[in-house]
Structure formats: structure tokens, C-alpha cells
Amino acid sequence: MRRLALVTLALCAALAAAQSPCEAKCNQQASDCLKRCAGDPKDASKPDQAKRLMECLKTCEAEVKPCRDACKR
């Protein structure tokens, strides 16, 4: 799960360079949120960590959705 978050962060960073300023702002917001989701690497092996990470990812998606919707207008 932690690896998924890191890959997602890397993809967001790569896409930000080739997108509009509005999309780049949304990607930065998503990246900041995902960094908070990653948490402490020492906790990565705990059984409840995967569930917490998935909930955090869903929360990040919900936080960024209004920004992305505004860019489409």
C-alpha cells in the first residue's frame, strides 16, 4: 500500500509538468494530501495500515475533486 502511494505521488509530479496551471495546482493539492496519507514507514507493516491508507486516498480524491471540476469549466 505504501508503494502505491509513492507511485501515485511520482505520477502526479510527472503529470504536473505537462499540464495547465489549474491542473498543476490540483495535482499539487493531491500530492500534499497523499504525503499526509503515507505516514510513518515504521507503521507500514501494521495490519490496519492498508485500510487506513485506502480511506485516506478516498479522502484525498474527495478533497481534490472540486479543484479538478473547476479546471474542466
Side-chain angles (χ1 to χ4, degrees):
M1 284 298 160
R2 179 156 171 77
R3 194 173 284 169
L4 172 66
L6 294 175
V7 169
T8 304
L9 286 173
L11 287 174
C12 286
L15 291 174
Q19 296 185 354
S20 72
C22 182
E23 291 169 326
K25 183 184 96 177
C26 296
N27 287 339
Q28 181 62 46
Q29 182 181 351
S31 177
D32 292 343
C33 186
L34 291 172
K35 287 176 187 174
R36 292 190 306 265
C37 290
D40 189 347
K42 295 175 187 174
D43 295 335
S45 63
K46 292 183 180 177
D48 64 331
Q49 188 68 5
K51 182 180 177 185
R52 187 197 65 78
L53 180 59
M54 291 307 294
E55 289 173 4
C56 189
L57 292 174
K58 288 178 186 177
T59 300
C60 288
E61 190 63 31
E63 284 181 18
V64 176
K65 187 175 182 343
C67 182
R68 293 190 194 281
D69 290 344
C71 289
K72 292 178 184 176
R73 292 184 205 160

